[in-house]
Amino acid sequence: MLRKARIIWSIILIILTSIFIFWIIWQKTFHLKVFTKKNEINYEPGFMYVVNSGIYEKTFFRKIKGKILTGRNDKYVIGYRGGYPKKAEKEIKNYGVDEAYGQLLFYHQYSCGKIYVYDNWREKALFWTVVMIDEQNKEDTKFVIEKEHNFDSITDFYADEKYIYLHIYNFKKEIEIIRVEIENGELKKYDVLEKDLGLVIGPVNWFDPRTEQLMVFTHNGSQKEIQAYSFQTGEKKTIVLEKPASWVLASEDGYLLVNANFGRIIFYAYDMDWNPAPEKDIEIPLVNIADIRRLKPLASWQSDKSVQLADGIAYGCIEGEKALWYYAVDLEAQKVVALWEVRHPKGDLKLQDHFLFHKETGCEPYPTLF
């Protein structure tokens, strides 16, 4: 009888030990949960995490491919803002680009080509170099853009089929947009003093080539506003936001302000003159798809609020303390077509950046605003 009891207790101990070991391993791995059984989207996301202990020591990249969260399929490097694949630095050396070009600030892969932005801070001459690689034809195009001052800095860049857009903050405390025509390298510059846009300006701004206006979020005390500045007329329009919003998208006939949280995703519609169009507002509930109680509130104010619109589908990330949700919303059908939950391992891992890739080409979508 005693021997039998020992055997039973030994089995129980082995089971509990196995459960404990499994739990430890489970805590140290990524987990993906898919809330939508089927989707017909053309793009899928990838996420770049960093280990932060005073300095960024390691990066981890996870890409959702179908329903599988893969391992270290790509090594990513921390760039000026966000990150870029390490292999991109190796590939561009085949086109004669090396350390002499300076620091690689940004990299994007669009259907028009792979685009690199360099800052030659090592040289006395002041300029940036934009390199565009057409891999299909094995051709490269280089655009050199002069700086006015050593403290001028590129804060972001985007592209479409015809133009490259550089966002610059210069020593005059101006926000400047430089548009580079891909076909001939012709430059067009837009600039406005920061003080003319509002009291406290956020780090992100948008340029609309349709109306040649710049849009920024500002704070007037506790009140959040949008300042829309027209480079054509020099006039500024202030849009007081009575409802929360964190991103701006261009629609066919105006703009959409996006507010995404754990309960719902709302798109507030405005026309081209920034007049509200509430009849075109879109509200997408998440509560019927996922248990919103499972995730804690946003980890910090640094959470990425960016939203991308491609083929009528809005893609975005809602970051929580222990996990994140990545959603894809069909705006015309007004429904969620994909929703993933990514639980990262416990520890110092922090989400640094996230990307969107075309399933077949691997290219990023062109933005609706620049």
Side-chain angles (χ1 to χ4, degrees):
M1 189 70 179
L2 183 61
R3 183 181 179 185
K4 185 176 181 181
R6 287 177 179 176
I7 294 173
I8 293 173
W9 279 110
S10 297
I11 293 173
I12 292 174
L13 181 61
I14 291 172
I15 293 173
L16 292 175
T17 302
S18 300
I19 293 173
F20 177 75
I21 293 173
F22 175 80
W23 181 82
I24 292 294
I25 296 173
W26 188 88
Q27 293 290 324
K28 294 182 178 295
T29 58
F30 282 86
H31 299 278
L32 172 68
K33 185 167 185 179
V34 182
F35 289 104
T36 48
K37 295 182 179 179
K38 182 181 179 181
N39 66 67
E40 299 177 355
I41 54 178
N42 294 324
Y43 292 86
E44 290 179 321
F47 307 95
M48 175 183 170
Y49 287 86
V50 297
V51 177
N52 185 3
S53 58
I55 59 174
Y56 290 115
E57 294 181 343
K58 298 178 181 178
T59 60
F60 301 86
F61 187 70
R62 298 291 182 269
K63 185 177 180 181
I64 292 177
K65 190 171 181 62
K67 293 186 178 181
I68 300 173
L69 191 65
T70 63
R72 298 185 189 183
N73 54 335
D74 285 305
K75 181 69 175 179
Y76 267 58
V77 179
I78 297 172
Y80 185 77
R81 284 185 64 183
Y84 56 86
K86 191 171 182 59
K87 65 181 181 180
E89 291 183 309
K90 296 180 180 179
E91 292 172 349
I92 199 170
K93 290 181 179 179
N94 299 326
Y95 296 88
V97 176
D98 53 25
E99 291 78 6
Y101 280 74
Q103 180 184 4
L104 176 58
L105 300 180
F106 299 99
Y107 165 87
H108 283 297
Q109 180 181 357
Y110 295 115
S111 57
C112 65
K114 296 181 177 181
I115 306 177
Y116 301 73
V117 179
Y118 287 90
D119 184 357
N120 81 321
W121 56 271
R122 301 180 183 183
E123 303 293 332
K124 292 183 179 180
L126 300 177
F127 60 86
W128 298 288
T129 305
V130 179
V131 184
M132 182 172 175
I133 304 297
D134 180 356
E135 287 190 317
Q136 184 175 357
N137 298 312
K138 301 297 180 182
E139 296 177 348
D140 66 286
T141 305
K142 297 180 177 67
F143 307 100
V144 177
I145 297 121
E146 294 183 358
K147 299 183 191 179
E148 291 188 41
H149 196 276
N150 191 44
F151 290 106
D152 293 357
S153 61
I154 297 179
T155 59
D156 226 331
F157 103 93
Y158 302 98
D160 62 13
E161 297 95 335
K162 296 178 61 178
Y163 300 104
I164 296 169
Y165 300 88
L166 303 176
H167 288 236
I168 295 166
Y169 186 77
N170 65 32
F171 79 105
K172 300 176 184 177
K173 295 187 177 180
E174 291 176 327
I175 295 176
E176 183 178 14
I177 307 295
I178 296 181
R179 190 190 73 182
V180 185
E181 190 167 350
I182 294 174
E183 184 176 353
N184 55 29
E186 182 178 335
L187 303 182
K188 186 170 183 178
K189 297 184 179 182
Y190 309 85
D191 55 72
V192 58
L193 286 169
E194 182 185 41
K195 68 180 180 64
D196 292 338
L197 292 177
L199 297 178
V200 180
I201 298 177
V204 181
N205 53 72
W206 297 268
F207 176 72
D208 187 349
R210 302 173 300 178
T211 57
E212 293 190 322
Q213 71 172 340
L214 182 76
M215 291 153 286
V216 297
F217 280 127
T218 63
H219 289 84
N220 187 354
S222 60
Q223 180 65 57
K224 194 172 185 179
E225 302 172 341
I226 282 184
Q227 306 296 337
Y229 177 81
S230 171
F231 290 111
Q232 295 177 349
T233 65
E235 297 178 347
K236 181 187 72 172
K237 184 172 184 177
T238 301
I239 301 94
V240 177
L241 301 182
E242 297 179 354
K243 299 177 182 178
S246 56
W247 201 257
V248 184
L249 292 172
S251 62
E252 291 185 0
D253 53 358
Y255 304 97
L256 295 172
L257 295 185
V258 187
N259 174 37
N261 57 55
F262 292 113
R264 57 185 180 172
I265 305 167
I266 305 178
F267 300 84
Y268 299 109
Y270 291 78
D271 65 17
M272 296 293 286
D273 294 320
W274 282 103
N275 298 308
E279 70 280 0
K280 297 182 180 180
D281 289 353
I282 300 172
E283 181 172 343
I284 310 293
L286 296 178
V287 65
N288 297 327
I289 302 174
D291 184 357
I292 63 175
R293 297 169 299 178
R294 298 178 63 232
L295 293 182
K296 292 185 178 181
L298 295 180
S300 71
W301 61 270
Q302 295 177 330
S303 300
D304 192 343
K305 306 294 197 309
S306 63
V307 182
Q308 295 172 281
L309 185 61
D311 303 328
I313 308 294
Y315 299 82
C317 181
I318 303 174
E319 186 183 357
E321 185 176 338
K322 296 183 178 180
L324 63 86
W325 284 348
Y326 199 91
Y327 61 84
V329 173
D330 187 323
L331 295 184
E332 184 176 359
Q334 298 191 18
K335 67 177 183 178
V336 175
V337 291
L339 182 63
W340 298 283
E341 178 185 291
V342 182
R343 287 184 172 266
H344 51 257
K346 287 186 176 180
D348 293 331
L349 277 179
K350 303 296 181 184
L351 181 66
Q352 176 76 7
D353 204 354
H354 58 86
F355 311 88
L356 199 59
F357 304 95
H358 193 277
K359 289 181 179 179
E360 296 180 1
T361 66
C363 294
E364 302 169 56
Y366 291 123
T368 61
L369 297 172
F370 303 93

